Amino acid sequence: IKNKHWTWRFDDPITGQKLGKSVLVNNFCTNARGNEGMCAQCHAGFGMKDSNYDFSNEENIDCLVCHDATGKYYKTPPTKGNKACSVMFEGLKPINWTNVAQHVRLPARSNCGTCHFFGGGGDNVKHGDLSSVLFHPPRDVDVHMSEQGENFACIICHVGEGHDWAGSRYIMIAKDEKEHAKPKPGMERETATCESCHGDKPHPTTVRGLKQNDHVDRVACESCHIPAFARGGVATKVDWDWRTAGRLRNGEGYKEEGYKQGNGEWRHTYKSIKGSFKYDENVKPLYRWFNGVMRYTTIDTKFDPSKPVEINYFSGDPADPDSRIWPFKRMHTVQPYDKGNNTLVYMHLWGDDDAAFWGNYDFAKAIKVGMEKNGIPYSGEYGFIDSYSYWPINHMVAPKEQALACEECHSKDGRLKNLDNFYMPGRDAPRWLDILGILLVLGTLAGVLGHGLLRVILSRRNS
């Protein structure tokens, strides 16, 4: 009953912030709070209509959303919303409850993916490294999930006890070197990290492997072993502009398909209910120092409107021993905010009333009602502001032969060219100095090996 899939809340013990879908504002559909009727299709409970839901009643827990094996189980909102959204639920076949009840299992990738692959309003929209490709990925897209690889289900790494799953994005472990975190897959552990299976010296004891192991305390495994995200033919959303939402044709909302992704399918680049979008595929991540501590701009956070708002921002520094270089997806959005109070806003998006934006396209009404329903002060004046959110990349691990080559980072114009305040060979010094350094290292190694060999030879002579 404390599971975040059920509570939609999380109290961060490090920052003290109250987090979770029930309170946070994001830069996709902006807020679940006040729109529970739509968002609760992926909630592990029955009948969530609004923020007054009774989380103490365990009879409301929906086991089937995670344990159904038929793929035919679904939930619909308590109301179909306005005309613009009601079409989403047309043509659904009635659930065969007897069949569903006879097919219950441990959560499979299809259960997790039904929600997590489609978060933010579409396939791979939000995370960038979680898409429908991962239902049956080729080995070169994800070596762990592929049937030609390890064929892991999500719960192999995201091990849970009492339905409290390891691996929450709200409390991450950027650097895991604890002995208790290294059992085999499927065994109980507190973390879902690369080290929990591979240890903190994962490379072979060759000269090259030993040098690679020297990187482990400074570079996250994902930075080298996930060369790009949004691979396999499904694009991810990278830009969203709410300002264009609400345009009509013949008095009705409409959609435009303007992006053809790698698998041949078209993606919407405009929807009247949401605005304009941009997508990208095979994206090189943004690299930043990260120590696992993430802070969020919440509904009551005041900010300087002359600067972009960081929806979430993270700690990390090359001088911090708990920090590593991590890969991220960065999402850009132009979204509404309270122009008088300089805060973000809750919008009333979903519903069949005249204030719900998804159908009536009135920002003023949608924001006013969204704030009032949740008891949040609102100045009555809204504007639009640039925002960024950052999504750590953990999935779509490529086979080892596709890991980044040294020169991808160790070069003047490499992937880490914009990371400051630390020295990196191949990037920060004249080439002759790097060559001299390499020669000195090789010379030292040759001297040590020669000295050892000489001792072996002399010992044999003396014996």
Side-chain angles (χ1 to χ4, degrees):
I1 195 158
K2 295 181 180 180
N3 179 293
K4 289 180 285 295
H5 289 88
W6 163 251
T7 64
W8 274 9
R9 285 181 176 270
F10 175 73
D11 294 338
D12 193 322
I14 298 174
T15 65
Q17 287 191 298
K18 295 186 180 299
L19 308 175
K21 295 183 187 301
S22 64
V23 293
L24 287 178
V25 183
N26 60 53
N27 61 351
F28 292 88
C29 291
T30 69
N31 54 287
R33 189 171 182 88
N35 300 299
E36 289 86 357
M38 178 63 172
C39 300
Q41 292 175 91
C42 280
H43 178 243
F46 297 110
M48 181 190 281
K49 299 178 181 180
D50 52 41
S51 56
N52 297 317
Y53 190 72
D54 183 4
F55 291 99
S56 66
N57 184 0
E58 296 186 34
E59 293 181 0
N60 287 336
I61 293 176
D62 180 4
C63 301
L64 290 175
V65 72
C66 294
H67 293 279
D68 165 58
T70 68
K72 306 297 183 182
Y73 175 75
Y74 62 86
K75 290 186 291 187
T76 58
T79 63
K80 290 186 177 181
N82 282 309
K83 182 179 178 181
C85 297
S86 60
V87 293
M88 298 180 193
F89 309 102
E90 293 177 358
L92 289 175
K93 295 182 180 180
I95 297 172
N96 183 334
W97 290 106
T98 301
N99 186 44
V100 169
Q102 291 172 342
H103 294 82
V104 174
R105 63 178 174 192
L106 288 172
R109 199 183 311 156
S110 57
N111 297 102
C112 304
T114 297
C115 288
H116 288 285
F117 296 171
F118 295 89
D123 194 353
N124 202 26
V125 161
K126 188 176 285 186
H127 294 269
D129 61 344
L130 291 174
S131 78
S132 62
V133 174
L134 296 182
F135 285 133
H136 299 285
R139 184 173 179 271
D140 64 349
V141 170
D142 195 296
V143 71
H144 295 120
M145 294 188 181
S146 174
E147 284 92 339
Q148 293 77 46
E150 300 296 337
N151 197 22
F152 281 173
C154 303
I155 60 173
I156 295 298
C157 293
H158 295 278
V159 176
E161 182 177 357
H163 292 88
D164 189 13
W165 306 106
S168 168
R169 71 182 179 91
Y170 292 126
I171 181 164
M172 292 189 60
I173 296 176
K175 184 178 181 181
D176 185 0
E177 296 176 322
K178 301 180 290 297
E179 290 298 324
H180 72 268
K182 300 178 189 175
K184 296 294 183 183
M187 295 176 63
E188 289 184 6
R189 58 184 182 273
E190 295 180 12
T191 63
T193 63
C194 300
E195 294 91 338
S196 65
C197 287
H198 297 284
D200 53 14
K201 293 179 174 59
H203 303 100
T205 55
T206 61
V207 173
R208 180 181 179 85
L210 291 172
K211 186 58 185 173
Q212 290 171 328
N213 284 335
D214 283 344
H215 287 66
V216 171
D217 67 333
R218 298 274 76 191
V219 183
C221 305
E222 292 90 337
S223 290
C224 292
H225 290 276
I226 307 177
F229 58 89
R231 305 201 314 277
V234 176
T236 189
K237 196 168 286 185
V238 294
D239 193 277
W240 186 326
D241 192 343
W242 276 92
R243 291 173 299 182
T244 62
R247 294 172 180 170
L248 304 177
R249 285 180 180 170
N250 301 319
E252 300 284 348
Y254 65 96
K255 304 174 183 178
E256 293 177 351
E257 292 181 333
Y259 182 91
K260 188 177 182 180
Q261 60 188 16
N263 65 4
E265 296 180 3
W266 288 89
R267 301 293 292 267
H268 290 110
T269 50
Y270 180 78
K271 290 184 179 182
S272 294
I273 64 171
K274 295 181 178 180
S276 305
F277 318 120
K278 293 179 182 178
Y279 299 86
D280 203 357
E281 297 177 67
N282 302 305
V283 186
K284 287 184 179 180
L286 173 78
Y287 298 95
R288 292 291 184 268
W289 289 96
F290 180 46
N291 64 5
V293 179
M294 191 79 75
R295 291 175 173 82
Y296 291 81
T297 296
T298 58
I299 192 68
D300 55 356
T301 303
K302 292 187 178 293
F303 47 74
D304 180 355
S306 68
K307 302 175 183 177
V309 173
E310 290 189 314
I311 297 292
N312 60 336
Y313 49 100
F314 44 87
S315 301
D317 187 271
D320 178 3
D322 291 327
S323 293
R324 280 171 158 174
I325 297 171
W326 266 78
F328 292 88
K329 172 191 170 180
R330 182 169 69 173
M331 175 70 187
H332 171 256
T333 298
V334 183
Q335 67 186 95
Y337 81 105
D338 185 336
K339 201 171 181 179
N341 290 323
N342 294 332
T343 62
L344 296 175
V345 296
Y346 287 148
M347 281 198 291
H348 176 46
L349 300 172
W350 175 263
D352 54 10
D353 56 282
D354 67 354
F357 186 82
W358 288 350
N360 293 313
Y361 312 116
D362 188 329
F363 277 113
K365 273 189 178 181
I367 295 171
K368 181 176 183 293
V369 171
M371 299 292 269
E372 285 179 351
K373 283 174 62 177
N374 293 286
I376 308 295
Y378 177 49
S379 69
E381 184 181 11
Y382 73 91
F384 292 91
I385 195 163
D386 291 279
S387 66
Y388 291 96
S389 62
Y390 299 88
W391 298 82
I393 299 299
N394 302 100
H395 306 88
M396 296 191 172
V397 176
K400 61 182 179 181
E401 57 269 19
Q402 295 178 17
L404 296 185
C406 302
E407 58 269 20
E408 287 271 359
C409 297
H410 291 277
S411 61
K412 298 292 184 184
D413 198 37
R415 293 183 177 225
L416 304 184
K417 63 181 179 181
N418 295 321
L419 277 186
D420 300 325
N421 301 321
F422 74 105
Y423 173 80
M424 189 168 68
R427 184 194 70 173
D428 298 327
R431 183 167 177 78
W432 65 266
L433 185 58
D434 286 332
I435 293 173
L436 178 60
I438 292 171
L439 291 175
L440 287 172
V441 171
L442 292 175
T444 301
L445 181 61
V448 171
L449 293 175
H451 178 71
L453 180 61
L454 184 61
R455 291 191 63 178
V456 170
I457 294 172
L458 291 176
S459 66
R460 287 180 178 177
R461 286 182 178 180
N462 292 336
S463 63

